[in-house]
Amino acid sequence: MLEKIFEVRYDELDPHGHISPVSLLRYFQEAAALDAQSFAFGWENIQQNRLGWVLTHMQVEFLQTNVKRQPVKIRTWHAFSEKILSRREFEFLTEDGATLARGASWWLLMDVDKRRITKSPPELLALNPAEPNFLVQEENFKRTPAVDAVSLPAVLITTRREDLDLNGHVNNTHYAAWALENAPEGKTLQKLLINFKNECRDGETISVNTLQETELLRHHCLLKSDGKEAAHAITYWQ
């Protein structure tokens, strides 16, 4: 397990002075990389074999909202690996020790040259605990919108080189940020489910198409200009 405290910067606050959900996702990504490095599966280790970690899907539950600027502690750990997927848990704590958010994420290893998924190596499987520590139950990522869901105006995004990560494609935190562009006015995010489907490069146009199932439930389809779905997110609001 890795525990790390992040000092929230002013540019990571939303217009109301609160810590933004996407800022927490960026902290998680950094902590996940550091923890993987601690057991020899960090970027520096696996890139020697031309491998890279790819986030396939994740869920986050926000237990406190409208949190003002303060240090945030994250705890994250490798929970379990199977043939292809590895599961990682994480939670955020406020300065007074209360749980701010928690969730789970699923990852796979990819051959960065062939752009193909690889099996989990024996060294990674050997790290599996006898009793995995899961914080949350896996949500239904395949939930489809109700037939009477209302289509909202699309948001168009053009990707930039600045959005790319070490694997040469758009970083996962940007997908989440784009999905949240169609947030309901005056509401705060309670839960985010996001499924990453196809990688994006710089200079692509992404259409964020949102279906409003209820006032507090939305489905977001991030569609690439070639017709492929980059990601699909489900958001719950309060």
Side-chain angles (χ1 to χ4, degrees):
M1 175 188 289
L2 178 135
E3 293 190 3
K4 182 175 177 60
I5 295 176
F6 286 91
E7 297 290 339
V8 179
R9 304 193 308 261
Y10 285 102
D11 64 349
E12 295 172 320
L13 303 176
D14 67 15
H16 304 289
H18 302 139
I19 303 172
S20 72
V22 175
S23 293
L24 295 181
L25 298 184
R26 290 173 180 148
Y27 298 156
F28 163 64
Q29 179 177 257
E30 177 70 9
L34 293 174
D35 188 48
Q37 189 175 22
S38 72
F39 52 82
F41 273 89
W43 183 82
E44 291 83 354
N45 309 102
I46 62 175
Q47 64 90 28
Q48 297 177 19
N49 296 320
R50 303 301 296 157
L51 297 177
W53 283 111
V54 176
L55 180 60
T56 63
H57 55 295
M58 71 183 304
Q59 62 187 64
V60 192
E61 181 181 3
F62 298 89
L63 303 178
Q64 291 193 51
T65 57
N66 302 333
V67 178
K68 294 187 177 180
R69 180 176 177 269
Q70 61 180 280
V72 172
K73 176 188 283 188
I74 181 172
R75 294 174 180 163
T76 183
W77 58 93
H78 168 261
F80 191 78
S81 288
E82 48 190 11
K83 184 178 180 180
I84 297 295
L85 287 176
S86 293
R87 176 167 171 164
R88 171 173 290 278
E89 309 294 297
F90 58 94
E91 62 179 344
F92 295 93
L93 304 176
T94 59
E95 197 169 24
D96 59 4
T99 303
L100 171 59
R102 64 187 178 191
S105 59
W106 290 263
W107 304 72
L108 54 78
L109 287 168
M110 174 179 285
D111 184 312
V112 297
D113 296 319
K114 298 179 180 178
R115 314 306 290 179
R116 293 179 181 173
I117 298 170
T118 65
K119 295 181 180 179
S120 299
E123 297 84 356
L124 184 60
L125 296 174
L127 297 173
N128 285 341
E131 296 183 7
N133 181 10
F134 296 147
L135 274 179
V136 295
Q137 182 176 353
E138 185 173 359
E139 296 277 353
N140 179 15
F141 284 82
K142 296 182 179 180
R143 174 176 177 164
T144 57
V147 294
D148 59 348
V150 178
S151 180
L152 302 180
V155 176
L156 296 181
I157 304 289
T158 300
T159 62
R160 307 161 301 171
R161 292 182 182 178
E162 182 183 347
D163 301 330
L164 306 184
D165 60 17
L166 287 170
N167 292 325
H169 53 65
V170 172
N171 187 266
N172 66 81
T173 59
H174 293 288
Y175 291 83
W178 298 340
L180 297 179
E181 282 293 316
N182 249 337
E185 191 67 32
K187 304 296 182 181
T188 55
L189 186 61
Q190 181 182 35
K191 188 185 299 183
L192 167 68
L193 312 182
I194 185 164
N195 193 357
F196 304 95
K197 297 188 173 183
N198 286 287
E199 63 184 14
C200 296
R201 304 285 182 162
D202 69 296
E204 293 193 70
T205 299
I206 310 298
S207 176
V208 184
N209 304 311
T210 300
L211 290 175
Q212 178 178 293
E213 184 168 330
T214 69
E215 183 182 2
L216 303 178
L217 173 58
R218 296 188 174 193
H219 297 255
H220 313 265
C221 173
L222 279 62
L223 196 65
K224 299 174 51 169
S225 53
D226 62 5
K228 295 181 179 179
E229 193 174 17
H232 187 92
I234 305 173
T235 56
Y236 298 80
W237 304 84
Q238 62 183 4

